[in-house]
């Protein structure tokens, strides 16, 4: 919850600052790398009779701008736990973003396909998920090549 509040405040500060930041790097042929950290889709959902599956994961993705206002991306996450927390996580994601505005605050719409799988102790979880989603979001450039 605290992390969400901090992120929202940071986004609001950037939006209110307007174009005070450096020009962005959204150009045809530009590439970007993203790192996402947090809980997997299975956390906090709970499994009947078991409760929530705690699965902190790291996902890495790459993005290629095929036009100044459009990018395609793909990513993966892989985690293997041992000992008392024996289990694995696998996430594969592919999608495309259409930026509605090419600026330091760049809202976008996106389509995304994801395959996620978590396997924990056989008595706890063995869940694959195939997800096709429509997304709306924004990318905020704090420097020319950092968003």
């Amino acid at each position: 919850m605290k992390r969400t509040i901090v992120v929202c405040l940071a986004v609001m500060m950037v939006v209110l600052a307007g174009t005070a930041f450096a020009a962005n790097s959204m150009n045809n042929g530009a590439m970007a790398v993203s790192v996402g950290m947090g809980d997997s889709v299975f956390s906090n959902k709970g499994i009947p009779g078991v409760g929530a599956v705690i699965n902190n994961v790291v996902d890495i993705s790459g993005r290629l701008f095929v036009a100044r206002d459009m990018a395609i991306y793909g990513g993966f996450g892989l985690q293997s736990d041992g000992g008392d927390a024996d289990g694995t996580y696998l996430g594969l994601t592919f999608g495309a973003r259409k930026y509605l505005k090419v600026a330091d605050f760049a809202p976008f719409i996106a389509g995304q396909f994801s395959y996620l799988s978590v396997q924990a102790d056989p008595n706890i979880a063995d869940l694959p998920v195939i997800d096709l989603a429509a997304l709306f979001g924004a990318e905020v450039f704090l420097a020319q090549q950092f968003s």
Side-chain angles (χ1 to χ4, degrees):
M1 180 67 177
K2 290 179 186 177
R3 181 175 24 180
T4 303
I5 292 171
V6 170
V7 170
C8 289
L9 289 175
V11 169
M12 286 174 43
M13 287 174 35
V14 170
V15 171
L16 294 175
T19 59
F21 298 105
N24 62 51
S25 58
M26 296 172 66
N27 295 311
N28 187 13
M31 293 188 286
V33 175
S34 301
V35 178
M37 293 173 262
D39 293 337
S40 76
V41 69
F42 306 106
S43 287
N44 305 319
K45 301 287 188 239
I47 298 172
V50 176
V53 176
I54 305 303
N55 190 29
N56 296 320
V57 298
V58 176
D59 289 311
I60 299 173
S61 64
R63 190 167 53 246
L64 172 65
F65 283 87
V66 294
R68 184 155 166 78
D69 64 347
M70 185 156 193
I72 56 174
Y73 61 92
F76 72 96
L78 180 63
Q79 178 177 316
S80 180
D81 299 324
D84 291 342
D86 193 27
T88 59
Y89 165 83
L90 172 66
L92 299 171
T93 303
F94 304 97
R97 285 185 181 177
K98 169 68 172 146
Y99 291 88
L100 304 175
K101 183 178 178 186
V102 179
D104 289 342
F105 178 74
F108 62 82
I109 56 173
Q112 177 174 292
F113 170 81
S114 299
Y115 171 78
L116 306 167
S117 174
V118 67
Q119 294 177 337
D121 180 329
N123 298 323
I124 296 177
D126 186 2
L127 302 170
V129 171
I130 295 176
D131 181 40
L132 186 58
L135 308 170
F136 175 77
E139 189 166 356
V140 179
F141 284 84
L142 301 176
Q144 183 175 4
Q145 296 189 359
F146 182 77
S147 65

